[in-house]
Amino acid sequence: MIAGIDGGGTSTKLEIRREDNTGAERMQFGPFNIAAVGAEGVRRVIGEIAGKTDVAAISRVCVGGAGASFAGLKDLLAECLHEYGFQGKIRVCGDSEIALRGAMDGPGGILIAGTGSIAWGVNAEGETYRVGGWGHLIDDAGSGYAIGRDALQAAVRTQDGRDHAEKLRERLLARIGGKDNFDILHYVYYSGRDKSAVAALASEVLSLAAEGDPDALRILNRNAAGLADMARALAKGLKTEKPRIAMMGGLLETDNVYSARVRNLLEEVCEPVRPAHDALWGAAQLAWEMKD
């Protein structure tokens, strides 16, 4: 058998195929990101996988996803898998790489906007190029985090008198159960919440924008322009005029006011398309392509 693993911060997805690349079967397990769960967490997930499938029968496995850049991950995985009889080949790659392989065959790129954002692509010569994905503190343009952060900024500035986004402020305060800037301050800095809590507020911005709220629309338009800039840089880096770029991630894979605006801007610099398959399919396909 061959196996693909898409390891995330909240869950680990596994796809098993027969050696001839048919008969796909999928399973889901606990979180995988080594930065969050540590080595013991990774060991626990491999143990869960071993309890559901014959690890010794797997000849090739490709693991992609959160934490893949950790230097010792491949050795850790080899050690864990060997405990259950695995004697095959292992490939470890980033979540963008498996997402790209899943999105399309041949040259092209992906633009992912979820909690964070990144663009990744490959040209006809096999050269790859990356844009963004440098984290929420210094990057992640057009992401859920960026939209949520911009909304919170507009809310606190409105109370100060520096902005006038009253509807947005009211919506955010209702969402977090607060009444003023000090409650927003607590929500962001002192409640123990992580960046996903800020990113979750993007849904309120999308909802208000769909109602025609000008402040919400302004935030979405600014962030959509940031994603278009990423696509433009990707096309330049790939030395390809108007490459195919698949729109991926929670904000772009559904039809909403934001994805429509992003698609409209992307049409100026690339050919926006829907991904052919998901990242897990890409991981399994990369495993199959690990020929002897």
Side-chain angles (χ1 to χ4, degrees), residues 147-212:
I147 293 170
R149 177 204 60 212
D150 288 355
L152 289 169
Q153 183 183 82
V156 296
R157 289 184 176 187
T158 294
Q159 181 172 316
D160 288 350
R162 292 181 288 165
D163 209 335
H164 305 283
E166 294 292 350
K167 278 190 177 180
L168 183 58
R169 178 176 177 272
E170 291 172 7
R171 185 70 64 89
L172 292 183
L173 286 172
R175 172 69 176 264
I176 69 173
K179 64 181 185 301
D180 57 25
N181 280 2
F182 290 102
D183 293 319
I184 293 176
L185 191 73
H186 181 269
Y187 182 87
V188 174
Y189 295 110
Y190 305 119
S191 67
R193 294 179 173 89
D194 61 14
K195 62 183 179 180
S196 64
V198 174
L201 300 177
S203 63
E204 301 296 339
V205 184
L206 265 65
S207 177
L208 270 177
E211 298 170 14

Side-chain angles (χ1 to χ4, degrees), residues 59-124:
S59 61
R60 302 188 297 278
V61 59
C62 175
V63 181
S69 59
F70 178 72
L73 181 59
K74 184 174 182 179
D75 290 339
L76 175 62
L77 287 170
E79 178 187 334
C80 295
L81 290 168
H82 288 162
E83 290 180 9
Y84 298 99
F86 176 78
Q87 296 296 325
K89 293 184 176 181
I90 301 174
R91 176 176 179 177
V92 176
C93 52
D95 48 6
S96 298
E97 190 170 352
I98 62 174
L100 176 61
R101 186 63 191 89
M104 63 182 66
D105 287 307
I110 54 173
L111 177 64
I112 304 175
T115 298
S117 65
I118 191 171
W120 181 275
V122 61
N123 61 22

